[in-house]
Amino acid sequence: MTAAVFRHSSPRRAPRLAFAGALAASIVLTGCDTGWLGERSAPPLPGKRISVLSREKQIEPEISGPVAKVVLPPPEANEDWPQAGGYSNHAMQHMVAEGELQEAWSVNAGSGSSKRRRLLGQPVVAEGKVFTVDAASQVSAFNAETGKRLWGTDTIPSDNSNVYTSGGIAYDEGRVFVATGFAQVVALDAASGRILWRQTVSGPMRGAPTVRGGRVFAVTVDNQTHTLAAEDGTVLWTHSGITEATGLLAGNSPAVDGNMVLVPYSSGELFALRVDTGVPIWQDSLVTIRRTEIIGALMDIRGRPAIDRGRVYAISNGDMLVCLDQKTGRRLWEKEIGGVESPWVAGDYLFLLTNNNEAVAVEAKTGRIVWVTQMQSWEDPKDKDGRIMWSGPVLVSDRLILGSSDGKLVSLSPYTGDMLGWERAPDGVSIAPVVANGTLYFLTDEADLVAYR
C-alpha cells in the first residue's frame, strides 16, 4: 500500500500533510506545526488544546471481530470529475491520489460565502480544466496543471442587479451547465466561456444540475425537476413534488443510471423517474417523526443519492438513511440516521457524516454499523460555542478526507475510523473536495481553489 503524503510548496504555510501512519485519537490542535503524520517541527506553544475529535457518540457499532473487517476495492484513477458527486450515478468508489503530494497551486476563484449569499457548488474537472461557480454566479475556468485562470463569465443577466446564490455546475460534451439562483439554467462553451443558451425554469436552484445522454436535469427550490435538451435548452419534461415553505440553504443533484433519474426533494420525497419521459417508476419518503428540533423537522434530502449495482442509497436531514432496490424501490434496510452530506459508496461499504458530526462506516448490504468516529462539534467544547460543520467524506488512496467549517482537513482510516492526521486549510471548507488525475482540489468558503498533487 502506498501512502499519500502532502507537502506544501507555498511559503505561507509550513505544515506537512500526510496520509500515512497513525495518530492517537486524542490528537489535539496546537500552536506548533503538526502534519497529517503528527510530526512536529518545534516545541508546543502555550495555549488551549482542542481535540479534533469529540467524545460524545450518539450511535454505536453493531458488529465486531473478524466480521467487522472492512475490505475495499483497490483505488482506481479517474481523469475527470465532470459533475457534482463525480459521475452521474454519484458512486465514485475508491479514487487515487497517492505518493508524496505537494500543494501545487492556489488561486482565488471569485466571491466566497458571506451573510448575503453562500458558496455551494463543487468544482468540476474536465478537458484539463477546473471549472467553478462562485457565490456571485460567476463561472471560471482554470488550467488544471498550473491553476492559471483561462476565462470567467458572469452568468447574471445584465438587466438584473439582485443578489443570488447559484447552485452549481456540470460538464458534458464541451459545455458547462450552470444551475442558477435567478431561475435560469445557463449553458457555456467550455473552451471560451461564451454563453450558448439560457432557459428559464420555475424557481431558483441551490443544487448542481446532472447531465447524462444529452439531457440536463435540474431541481428548483419549489421542488420541480426540469429536464432540458443539452443542445439548445429545450424543455423536454417536468415533474413536481410537494412544495415546502422552508428548507435548508442548499440543494441537491439528481442521480442518473440507465433510463432512471433519481430525484430528491426538500420535502423528503425521493422519486425514481424515467429519463425519457419523466413518468414515475416508484417513490419513497425519507421522513421520520422522532426529531423535534426545528432544524431536524426539515426533511430535506440535501446529500446526493447514489446508485450502485442495483441499489440506491439516500439520507435525509430528517433522520432517515435507506437502501432501496433500484428497480422496485423496495426498502432493503433503513436506519434512523440523519445527515446533509452525500454518502460515499465503495464496494460493500457506505461512508457518511451524520447530523451529530459522526463519521460512520456502514455495511452496504445489511445496514449494520461497522465503526463510528465522533468529530469535534464545537470550537469551544466546554461552552459549546462556535458550531462546527463537516463536509465529505471522499475516499482517496485508503484515506477518508473530511473538511470542516473552521478550516481543518482531516484524514481518517476507512478500515477503523481512527484519525490519521489533520492540516490547516486557508479557510473553512464546507464543500467536499474533488479528485481527478491524482490531484485533490479543495474550494474553501472564501473561494480559494487549492490543488494538491
Side-chain angles (χ1 to χ4, degrees), residues 198-256:
R198 295 176 180 270
Q199 179 60 261
T200 299
V201 293
S202 64
M205 289 155 284
R206 297 288 182 261
T210 299
V211 189
R212 177 76 180 268
R215 291 176 171 85
V216 182
F217 306 89
V219 180
T220 58
V221 296
D222 59 349
N223 284 338
Q224 293 197 43
T225 300
H226 296 259
T227 301
L228 315 176
E231 181 65 28
D232 57 11
T234 300
V235 178
L236 302 177
W237 55 261
T238 62
H239 177 269
S240 298
I242 298 173
T243 301
E244 289 286 301
T246 58
L248 300 175
L249 184 57
N252 208 326
S253 303
V256 183

Side-chain angles (χ1 to χ4, degrees), residues 58-249:
Q58 302 296 316
I59 58 178
E60 297 290 339
E62 297 174 320
I63 56 176
S64 60
V67 294
K69 182 180 180 181
V70 174
V71 179
L72 296 175
E76 293 184 357
N78 61 307
E79 292 186 4
D80 301 321
W81 188 285
Q83 44 199 310
Y87 299 138
S88 63
N89 64 352
H90 304 154
M92 296 300 286
Q93 304 294 331
H94 195 174
M95 301 290 94
V96 170
E98 59 184 5
E100 188 170 292
L101 305 181
Q102 301 183 29
E103 182 187 304
W105 50 262
S106 176
V107 63
N108 185 261
S111 300
S113 295
S114 66
K115 292 182 179 179
R116 300 185 68 191
R117 54 196 176 195
R118 287 281 303 279
L119 187 65
L120 298 175
Q122 262 194 339
V124 300
V125 185
E127 292 186 0
K129 304 178 183 72
V130 184
F131 302 95
T132 62
V133 60
D134 72 359
S137 302
Q138 177 166 282
V139 180
S140 300
F142 302 89
N143 183 294
E145 183 68 25
T146 65
K148 179 182 178 181
R149 193 169 189 263
L150 303 175
W151 54 256
T153 300
D154 185 358
T155 61
I156 298 178
S158 58
D159 60 350
N160 198 320
S161 60
N162 293 328
V163 175
Y164 300 99
T165 294
S166 278
I169 55 178
Y171 167 91
D172 188 63
E173 298 290 334
R175 294 181 174 90
V176 176
F177 302 92
V178 193
T180 71
F182 47 88
Q184 287 186 350
V185 177
V186 183
L188 292 78
D189 176 68
S192 65
R194 179 172 59 92
I195 293 177
L196 301 175
W197 54 257
R198 295 176 180 270
Q199 179 60 261
T200 299
V201 293
S202 64
M205 289 155 284
R206 297 288 182 261
T210 299
V211 189
R212 177 76 180 268
R215 291 176 171 85
V216 182
F217 306 89
V219 180
T220 58
V221 296
D222 59 349
N223 284 338
Q224 293 197 43
T225 300
H226 296 259
T227 301
L228 315 176
E231 181 65 28
D232 57 11
T234 300
V235 178
L236 302 177
W237 55 261
T238 62
H239 177 269
S240 298
I242 298 173
T243 301
E244 289 286 301
T246 58
L248 300 175
L249 184 57

Side-chain angles (χ1 to χ4, degrees), residues 27-30 34-36 52 408-410 419 421-424:
I27 184 171
V28 294
L29 304 185
T30 71
T34 304
W36 290 54
V52 175
K408 293 188 289 290
L409 307 175
V410 172
M419 183 171 169
W422 67 277
E423 162 66 356
R424 287 275 183 207

